[in-house]
Amino acid sequence: MNSRTPYQTFRWHSEIFDCYSNDIEQFERQLLQETARLQLKPRVIGHIDGWPLQLWQSPAANAGLPSVLISSGFHGEEAAGPWGMLHFMSELTDTIFTQVNLTLLPLANPTGFSKGHRFNRFGENPNRGYLSVGDGATPSLEGKLLLAHAQLLLAASRDGILTCHEDILSQQTYLYAFEPSKQPGAFSQGLLAALTQYFPVTEAAVIDDCPVENGIIFNHFDSSFEAWLVRSGAKAGACSETPAKANFDRRILANSAVMQQFIAGSHN
Ligand SMILES: [Zn+2]
């Protein structure tokens, strides 16, 4: 964590999308196309420097279906998450709405994304300060907006939350996972397997002071968005980490695959 600098900028070219990773105009254009095609319902949570902080939801919620939330783009330089979500959306049909109540938060940190740097333009970390865990972190502007919509987010993630990050220092993949059990179960293992189709699993035994076992950091409660939602009642949670030292399009495909697996694992 210490060697990740908040204002170092990163940019990669995507052959799949024919643009650079920080091209927010292109991202928003394609996002509007996909959300219109799927008839997803927008829920604007606020604005950051003119960019919407926005959720997209199933056209009609069905009380009998699991409610799941997928988020990405909390750290601006971890660009394969949001582009991976676009790729994931491009492969969806409206069959999805008979399987889950879907909520998407594609781009949590638009100002960081457009600059290709980690923190938002105010120098805040958008993935800290959601839970009081003694790290002294306070919520960012994005965090305050999300916390102000706690009820909506808790309902949306009741049966699961997946958030997609990248590790800028890594050539290998790993997963933070939360399940109400002593050991990672089918939920966590399925997500890790989706990632390891694309990248080798990390050999690290410790990452950011957390013990890693076979690629999984299990039930580690920090002050992140995902830890907050699990602590607040989500049945399961995960944070995927793709390696930002690997090819950008491959990272996009891995993010799309882990989102597909999350949905498949949520309604079976
Ligand atoms: Zn991150």
Side-chain angles (χ1 to χ4, degrees):
M1 191 75 83
N2 294 333
S3 38
R4 293 181 195 121
T5 51
Y7 288 115
Q8 189 178 351
T9 61
F10 295 87
R11 190 176 78 150
W12 298 275
H13 190 264
S14 169
E15 305 293 318
I16 296 172
F17 289 102
D18 193 24
C19 68
Y20 281 97
S21 53
N22 64 333
D23 188 341
I24 192 168
E25 284 87 6
Q26 175 77 346
F27 180 82
E28 289 290 328
R29 230 179 349 259
Q30 298 212 22
L31 181 64
L32 289 179
Q33 273 175 23
E34 290 304 332
T35 54
R37 181 181 66 81
L38 291 163
Q39 298 185 290
L40 291 169
K41 257 190 341 205
R43 297 289 295 257
V44 177
I45 288 208
H47 287 86
I48 298 137
D49 253 16
W51 294 105
L53 184 61
Q54 201 161 21
L55 300 175
W56 295 92
Q57 299 195 292
S58 293
N62 177 333
L65 296 178
S67 295
V68 294
L69 169 64
I70 308 177
S71 62
S72 58
F74 278 84
H75 292 136
E77 89 282 36
E78 300 172 9
W83 291 105
M85 187 175 297
L86 261 190
H87 186 277
F88 162 75
M89 291 171 79
S90 74
E91 296 197 327
L92 287 181
T93 66
D94 55 13
T95 307
I96 184 86
F97 307 127
T98 66
Q99 299 169 332
V100 293
N101 296 317
L102 182 64
T103 301
L104 303 175
L105 169 60
L107 187 54
N109 175 9
T111 61
F113 181 85
S114 69
K115 298 284 186 210
H117 61 54
R118 184 170 184 78
F119 287 177
N120 68 12
R121 63 160 297 215
F122 314 103
E124 300 167 323
N125 183 344
N127 201 35
R128 285 291 177 268
Y130 294 88
L131 269 181
S132 180
V133 294
D135 63 356
T138 52
S140 62
L141 175 56
E142 297 79 7
K144 284 177 190 149
L145 292 168
L146 291 165
L147 284 162
H149 292 78
Q151 203 177 352
L152 170 65
L153 290 163
L154 298 188
S157 64
R158 191 190 61 198
D159 298 285
I161 155 76
L162 171 67
T163 189
C164 294
H165 284 246
E166 296 201 277
D167 189 327
I168 212 73
L169 306 173
S170 189
Q171 310 208 40
Q172 300 168 328
T173 190
Y174 58 97
L175 183 78
Y176 294 82
F178 303 85
E179 292 187 74
S181 56
K182 287 236 157 66
Q183 296 289 329
F187 169 79
S188 306
Q189 299 295 355
L191 294 174
L192 186 67
L195 295 168
T196 57
Q197 286 181 305
Y198 292 87
F199 305 109
V201 69
T202 186
E203 291 152 4
V206 175
I207 296 175
D208 291 337
D209 300 326
C210 301
V212 191
E213 229 175 290
N214 301 317
I216 298 178
I217 298 164
F218 196 57
N219 287 341
H220 169 72
F221 287 89
D222 52 21
S223 71
S224 64
F225 178 69
E226 59 275 16
W228 167 57
L229 290 176
V230 173
R231 190 63 98 202
S232 306
K235 281 181 192 153
C239 167
S240 58
E241 296 276 357
T242 46
K245 290 199 163 168
N247 174 272
F248 186 52
D249 282 320
R250 197 164 177 82
R251 288 151 49 201
I252 290 173
L253 295 175
N255 275 280
S256 180
V258 79
M259 292 177 198
Q260 284 176 38
Q261 171 59 35
F262 173 70
I263 296 300
S266 296
H267 69 89
N268 288 334

